[in-house]
Amino acid sequence: MTGRALACLLAGPLCVLAQLRLYVREGSAERLIAGTCDLGKVETGARRELGLRVRNSGLAAVRLEALSVAGVGFAVLSNVQLPRALEAGAALDFAVWFQPRAPGDYSAVLSVNTQSFLLRAVAAPGPVVWLEQGDRREALDSETPVGFSGVEQGTAGRRRFWIENPHSVGLEAAVSVQGASFRGPVGLASPVALGPGESATFEVVFEPSQAGAQTGLLEVNQRAFRLQGTGVAPPFPRPSILLDPPEAASGRNVRIVIRLESTARAGGSGEARISFEPALPHLPDDPAIGFSAGASRRAAFAVAAGQDIGLFNQLQEIGLQTGTTAGRITITALLGEHREQAILDIRPLTVVIDSLKATRGSFNLEVSVSGFDNTRSVGQVAFSFFDTAGQILAPGRIAIDAAGEFRRYFESSSLGGVFALRAGFPVTGEVSAVAAVEVEITNSAGVTRSERVALRP
Amino acid sequence: MRRCTALAVVWAALPLADGAVKKSPAQAEAYATGGVRLATPRAGCLLDRTGRIRWVLGLPGSFLLSAPSGSGVLAAGCGEGFAVVKTADSLEWLDAAGQPVRSWPAPPGQALFGLAADRAEAVVYLPETGQWFLATEGHLRPLPVTLGGAEALAVALGGDGSVAAVVRRLGRLWAVRFAPDGYIREERELAEAVAPILIREDGALVWGDGEGIVIEAGSGARRRVALPAAPAELAATGERGIRVRLATGQGQLFVRLDEGRDEICRLPEAGQ
């Protein structure tokens, strides 16, 4: 390496010149430029860019000190700070571009250190493209996108363009629009012939099929202008929460339907939520209060375009369990900007007896009661047994203070106010003579008396 | 049995009522023990996708699923305080907490269960071998019941110890009731019933009928209950309840049959 560098220094500039070569980049390949490079025919206003590569083909490092172009309409694009050393075999990519303002033949000199290359191009007459901005027009360049902001799905946003031939000769303009949500040119048959000084107008329409940013392209001959639009979901109609039954107590199943005040113009999704506030300070939350489909307090629903009802997993309704704790259940429907609520007030009730069974054993009776106390305040439980003639049996009404037992049970239960109670009673005499039983349960809301239930063998 | 044992403890621990007892004309006297036992009501169980059972806790309008218990369960029958489950190679008796109390070796395959509504007993039918058993907490007793090659679709255990079954033979459905000694008490053809079908301990039949179920009482009286979708599976739950698994994955329902007021509510999903 040291020997090679010394040889280069002795050879001086000739060595440097011989080492740097200029190529045109063509995909993954490269083509050597021998003195002249032709950029071809470019319309006025359009820009032609040519990718180039300078490579150190020698065996020693080279210091790249100058990379410039001199000529009207030409420029160099490079990210590299000069001077910079190029190792043996190393390459540096850059580009030159040509953007003519007037028709004619153009040339420029590209300098790489002390080497010079000739760049040539021909500028053909091209149209000027204008964008209508209110009551004025603005000449378009390829760098600045044309915006269509905030266009609601299902509607259309329009921008008006002008193409003008400012030249003394006629030209032909081919206009096309690319992009799924863009349409045009509207009002123009492309290609259009424009005589000297003539102009034509057309529109590009943005019709977003979905919400969010979308892009397109307006092409006028060799020039391309970026189109940018933002689709906006249309506002959802206001949802209302329909409850069936509209008023409910504990231990019920309520059907919930989300109905929209009109048909939705676009599809989307919303969410139904449940919150619960116990009526009494000592009552904890009741996990059984929720959507029965998933035992949760949130449920997503879908709204389809053209429909006026929310679908919960394809179903037009969802069930709500009211649980067994007194309090206020708030159902909230969230859809777009809307937040609607419905309230179910679950009042404190006397104990609800869901089932009562009594069976006879050989020397005993067993009574089973299942039900719920949505205040969790059971105090006394009383049993009355009757004979086949309907007469109450001794010792008469048997009252048990069950407050402590129930309090301990509810403290350990995580299922609201439900309970299954069993009580056993030894019997002297003929057990078969005991024909029926009644049960009374007292809580803070009052006393519940069961029906008289026949004993089973 | 577990329940009776517990009650006996209560009686032994608590004094009987005092002597202020008067004889009734029927010569019967009832005494309070002074104590009650409280528990969470249950409405059967579900099998989740991983072969574990989840108790359905609570009452209509307030159901929740318990934490999963058991593993590798192929079929389950759940009473109020127990469950009988079939795994690949055993029959197991689980307590209310889902813990195994007894286990018996069993041939592979499914099982059908019919639970007594008011006691901890279950009839067990093993289709692979055609064996019948009466299961209790501590015992598994073979039953001398044979179906003669018919396919059992549902089984039930009657209050008197009889065994009822709905069987399919020669493409037709039959309701059969066996005495505990294996003799046939009754056999009748079910001309209109179709699967899924369920036989209850009182002999009532329930079968699918489009988007609904038909309930035929032992007396022959029929009524129909509409459902939100066609039923795919029916299971008895307690004395009045039916668990219905709806077709096309639309979840499960609890249907309680009451005179003049049937109640339908959706059960929580077992999920994983």
Side-chain angles (χ1 to χ4, degrees), chain B residues 56-108:
Chain B
V56 179
L57 307 175
L59 297 169
S62 186
F63 282 131
L64 276 182
L65 295 184
S66 73
S69 57
S71 62
V73 177
L74 302 175
C78 298
E80 239 176 71
F82 71 100
V84 199
V85 302
K86 174 73 175 61
T87 66
D89 56 4
S90 67
L91 267 173
E92 293 180 4
W93 186 281
L94 309 182
D95 64 14
Q99 297 303 310
V101 174
R102 287 294 306 267
S103 180
W104 303 276

Side-chain angles (χ1 to χ4, degrees), chain B residues 223 257-263:
Chain B
R223 63 197 170 95
L257 308 172
D258 272 335
E259 287 301 323
R261 188 175 71 91
D262 298 319
E263 193 171 7

Side-chain angles (χ1 to χ4, degrees), chain A residues 29-360:
Chain A
E30 55 188 29
R31 175 169 53 84
L32 183 66
I33 297 176
T36 301
C37 181
D38 198 340
L39 276 72
K41 190 173 180 180
V42 182
E43 276 190 355
T44 54
R47 191 166 99 162
R48 172 73 49 83
E49 190 173 307
L50 187 67
L52 299 174
R53 174 172 297 151
V54 58
R55 180 183 295 283
N56 177 3
S57 58
L59 297 174
V62 171
R63 187 178 170 89
L64 181 61
E65 295 180 327
L67 187 61
S68 61
V69 66
V72 175
F74 291 88
V76 165
L77 280 175
S78 172
N79 288 326
V80 180
Q81 291 278 334
L82 296 181
R84 172 180 167 170
L86 274 183
E87 297 294 323
L92 172 71
D93 286 352
F94 67 102
V96 295
W97 54 259
F98 173 59
Q99 187 170 21
R101 294 187 179 277
D105 294 336
Y106 288 76
S107 64
V109 174
L110 171 64
S111 298
V112 181
N113 282 358
T114 56
Q115 277 185 280
S116 296
F117 299 88
L118 182 62
L119 303 178
R120 292 194 309 204
V122 175
V128 177
V129 182
W130 302 87
L131 173 65
E132 191 172 273
Q133 296 272 37
D135 56 356
R136 61 188 176 84
R137 297 188 305 180
E138 193 173 87
L140 275 184
D141 61 57
S142 300
E143 300 301 310
T144 309
V146 178
F148 296 73
S149 59
V151 178
E152 195 176 287
Q153 267 177 272
T155 65
R158 294 165 181 269
R159 300 302 304 264
R160 177 170 292 276
F161 296 82
W162 299 75
I163 47 175
E164 180 187 11
N165 177 6
H167 307 290
S168 57
V169 296
L171 59 83
E172 189 175 76
V175 181
S176 64
V177 173
Q178 314 292 332
S181 295
F182 295 89
R183 181 167 60 84
V186 174
L188 179 76
S190 176
V192 60
L194 296 174
E198 286 184 346
S199 63
T201 182
F202 64 90
E203 285 184 336
V204 173
V205 182
F206 174 50
E207 295 170 325
S209 55
Q210 59 190 18
Q214 286 151 75
T215 60
L217 214 56
L218 167 64
E219 292 176 324
V220 180
N221 289 352
Q222 294 182 340
R223 303 177 67 186
F225 306 93
R226 284 181 292 139
L227 306 173
Q228 286 185 349
T230 302
V232 177
F236 288 107
R238 193 168 66 86
S240 56
I241 302 167
L242 307 181
L243 305 177
D244 178 22
E247 294 180 356
S250 286
R252 298 288 172 81
N253 288 277
V254 177
R255 296 165 59 230
I256 297 177
V257 172
I258 304 295
R259 178 75 68 181
L260 310 185
E261 64 181 359
S262 61
T263 56
R265 284 189 283 144
S269 62
E271 187 177 68
R273 295 178 183 172
I274 290 173
S275 61
F276 176 66
E277 185 181 348
L280 303 168
H282 71 279
L283 295 176
D285 193 10
D286 185 341
I289 295 172
F291 296 113
S292 48
S296 78
R297 292 189 174 176
R298 291 185 174 206
F301 62 85
V303 172
Q307 300 294 313
D308 65 352
I309 195 165
L311 294 180
F312 294 92
N313 193 23
Q314 313 288 332
L315 301 176
Q316 293 192 349
E317 62 181 50
I318 189 167
L320 160 68
Q321 291 191 147
T322 60
T324 50
T325 304
R328 169 168 286 192
I329 299 173
T330 303
I331 302 118
T332 304
L334 301 170
L335 181 63
E337 300 298 312
H338 300 288
R339 179 187 181 89
E340 297 297 320
Q341 290 193 323
I343 302 291
L344 277 175
D345 277 321
I346 309 296
R347 289 180 298 110
L349 297 173
T350 58
V351 170
V352 173
I353 295 178
D354 186 69
S355 72
L356 167 60
K357 288 190 297 186
T359 55
R360 295 187 196 93

